[in-house]
Amino acid sequence: MAVDEKAKLAAFEERIANGEKIEPKDWMPERYRKQLIRMISQHAHSELVGMLPEGNWITRAPSLRRKLTLLAKVQDEAGHGLYLYCAAETLGIDRDEMTEQLLSGKAKYSSIFNYPTLTWADIGTIGWLVDGAAIVNQTMLAKCSYGPYARANLRICKEENFHKRQGYEIISIMANGTDAQRRMVQDAVDRWWWPSLMMFGPPDTNSPNTEELMRWKVKLKSNDDLRQRFVNLTVPQARAVNVTLPDPDLKYNEETRNWEFGEIDWDEFYAVIKGHGPMNRERLEARRSAEERGQWVREAARAYAAKKQAKEVA
């Protein structure tokens, strides 16, 4: 590394250590830029793919109120994806390139969205557990060292809190409803609990990026620390509505003041990440179909913009 590059890196890391935000026009190491692009684009892809498990329940919602709130939530997720794509573009990557990476399978998205939504209780469980896990992660990202990503997450978290409340309301009502509704809730929680814990990523001992990302304050907490916080927050919520979490090893440790939980099936996690989850193929096919069906809209928008620009030049 050249002397000038070393000086720039030292100044950059000093800014990070002092808690300063890095902005798009600031100098940054190429590795920092690439790590951010990977993280932000994966986050953006997750928001768009995350619309799919819930979107197919909009027409089957049990009431007009539920239909409206679910529709609003799905629209919010689309907006989150746009915030994040915009944040990634400040790092010099084109949105079309990010889309191509997703559709080709090169880019990843959260493993949680490769599971099916079988009943209406799944919609409540996703709001409670999946959005709850996302909030734990994103509240930390809202304090990260890269300004555009931090600000995007700050806005996203405000909306995600409403999503979690909606989900928990659905669960609490059904958990205190008929026997059939209670069974439906318990079945949904049994299926979504462990994938929700996997959302935080692999254990710290097997996470190749965590150390570097924490050094640069892109991540402020490790995967395991975030996972533990999520469990600590969620166990009391489950008990409040008489829902049993599917973990016989779950117990409270008085010394650490943490809820200890059982072993996660990491083989399942890595299988889903590699494309072998229950809905991997369907999710990507849905996104590819949407991209193809929307091609005429993009072409029309580009033609309109070009025509308008030509008029302004003339």
Side-chain angles (χ1 to χ4, degrees), residues 152-164:
N153 276 288
L154 186 63
R155 184 169 181 176
I156 289 169
C157 283
K158 292 178 180 179
E159 295 175 351
E160 291 287 7
N161 272 289
F162 283 104
H163 300 170
K164 180 181 177 180

Side-chain angles (χ1 to χ4, degrees), residues 174-230:
M174 293 185 71
N176 289 282
T178 65
D179 289 343
Q181 288 174 325
R182 286 193 291 271
R183 287 194 299 270
M184 195 182 296
V185 167
Q186 190 60 60
D187 173 68
V189 172
D190 288 348
R191 286 182 285 106
W192 288 93
W193 172 248
W194 293 108
S196 296
L197 295 189
M198 296 175 195
M199 279 182 66
F200 297 97
D204 294 343
T205 54
N206 198 30
S207 179
N209 298 301
T210 293
E211 182 179 353
E212 185 174 59
L213 291 171
M214 290 187 70
R215 177 163 59 89
W216 282 332
K217 295 187 179 180
V218 176
K219 291 180 68 170
L220 301 183
K221 298 285 185 181
S222 72
N223 296 350
D224 288 340
D225 286 342
L226 292 171
R227 191 169 10 251
Q228 184 63 67
R229 174 165 173 73
F230 171 70

Side-chain angles (χ1 to χ4, degrees), residues 15 17 27 44 96 108 128 135 157 169 179 186 224 288 305 314:
R15 291 186 63 193
W27 184 91
D96 289 340
K108 303 299 183 183
W128 172 34
I135 291 168
C157 283
E169 181 192 35
D179 289 343
Q186 190 60 60
D224 288 340
R288 292 186 185 114

